[in-house]
Amino acid sequence: GESVGLHLPTLSVQEGDNSIINCAYSNSASDYFIWYKQESGKGPQFIIDIRSNMDKRQGQRVTVLLNKTVKHLSLQIAATQPGDSAVYFCAETWGAQKLVFGQGTRLTINP
Amino acid sequence: DADVTQTPRNRITKTGKRIMLECSQTKGHDRMYWYRQDPGLGLRLIYYSFDVKDINKGEISDGYSVSRQAQAKFSLSLESAIPNQTALYFCATSDFRDRANEQYFGPGTRLTVT
């Protein structure tokens, strides 16, 4: 069945370095991929999305890359800050029906 | 004020009790969702509703029921709570016009069943 998974459950980076969080998906019919950030004690918050006909999309300090050939999605965070500490989820959707979430990666920032 | 609110925020209940979790939204969205979050398992969809007269089961609906009382209100019930329903529960909303189906989440309800 369709699934969205993550390569690493945890990621530690030095403050100021760039972070890369990876995600694998299996549903070729997905038309949007979305990254969410969940801070401790809060619900997930939308970060950025990418349509399936795109390879790259940039936001403020974040970039999402989509490689449909290998069904891989990544979130790059530039100049990581303490406030970036959170769990990051990738999710996919098709036909605007519902989202399927991956397991999440916990990003920890070292001072 | 928060756009998506959930009550209660924390609840401890005993096995066999009936419990209701409530969700309200002021975003004017027609679509509402209930998710469950367990450590290491991400978010799993319990039920979703695309409008007041539409209710659909998600991937883990057994043991749960829902009611869409109004466009702005969507409640989740556990008819007879069991310990493995201990989890963090999130309500979310989305706009049917959004092809990316961006969802807006509430703050969550932490439920413990003893």
Side-chain angles (χ1 to χ4, degrees):
Chain A
E2 296 84 7
S3 66
V4 178
L6 292 168
H7 295 306
L8 295 172
T10 61
L11 178 65
S12 293
V13 299
Q14 291 297 121
E15 183 177 348
D17 287 352
N18 296 334
S19 302
I20 300 176
I21 301 171
N22 297 302
C23 179
Y25 68 93
S26 59
N27 184 3
S28 299
S30 294
D31 50 12
Y32 277 93
F33 300 89
I34 306 104
W35 282 99
Y36 281 85
K37 174 185 180 183
Q38 186 177 21
E39 297 176 279
S40 181
K42 297 183 179 180
Q45 286 185 296
F46 172 90
I47 302 173
I48 191 169
D49 64 18
I50 186 168
R51 193 170 178 176
S52 61
N53 63 354
M54 299 172 66
D55 298 321
K56 180 180 181 179
R57 190 171 185 208
Q58 288 185 295
Q60 187 176 15
R61 279 202 309 120
V62 295
T63 301
V64 57
L65 299 177
L66 176 63
N67 185 332
K68 293 180 287 296
T69 301
V70 295
K71 296 181 181 175
H72 184 267
L73 186 71
S74 69
L75 177 71
Q76 300 179 5
I77 305 173
T80 310
Q81 303 169 359
D84 295 327
S85 291
V87 176
Y88 290 81
F89 293 96
C90 62
E92 58 182 328
T93 187
W94 53 97
Q97 293 294 307
K98 51 188 175 182
L99 290 178
V100 175
F101 285 85
Q103 291 184 315
T105 293
R106 181 174 299 280
L107 178 64
T108 301
I109 314 304
N110 300 317
Chain B
D1 287 343
D3 295 318
V4 184
T5 58
Q6 294 183 231
T7 56
R9 293 294 313 278
N10 289 282
R11 180 73 183 267
I12 300 173
T13 192
K14 293 185 183 297
T15 298
K17 294 291 187 182
R18 184 178 188 278
I19 184 170
M20 178 181 289
L21 309 183
E22 299 186 350
C23 177
S24 295
Q25 53 115 345
T26 58
K27 298 192 72 68
H29 290 165
D30 49 332
R31 297 184 172 186
M32 298 187 74
Y33 308 79
W34 275 105
Y35 290 91
R36 167 178 172 158
Q37 186 174 35
D38 297 278
L41 291 180
L43 290 116
R44 292 183 291 168
L45 184 62
I46 306 173
Y47 270 96
Y48 61 105
S49 169
F50 282 176
D51 64 43
V52 174
K53 297 181 181 179
D54 177 77
I55 300 290
N56 305 281
K57 292 182 177 181
E59 60 180 299
I60 55 163
S61 59
D62 286 349
Y64 302 94
S65 63
V66 291
S67 174
R68 184 82 183 266
Q69 301 94 324
Q71 187 198 35
K73 296 185 182 297
F74 192 36
S75 60
L76 175 72
S77 294
L78 287 66
E79 298 301 325
S80 179
I82 56 177
N84 76 1
Q85 290 178 313
T86 293
L88 196 53
Y89 291 85
F90 288 101
C91 173
T93 74
S94 69
D95 186 337
F96 78 97
R97 294 167 293 184
D98 181 0
R99 288 292 302 173
N101 198 19
E102 177 183 346
Q103 296 186 10
Y104 297 81
F105 286 82
T109 294
R110 184 169 297 280
L111 177 65
T112 303
V113 183
T114 62

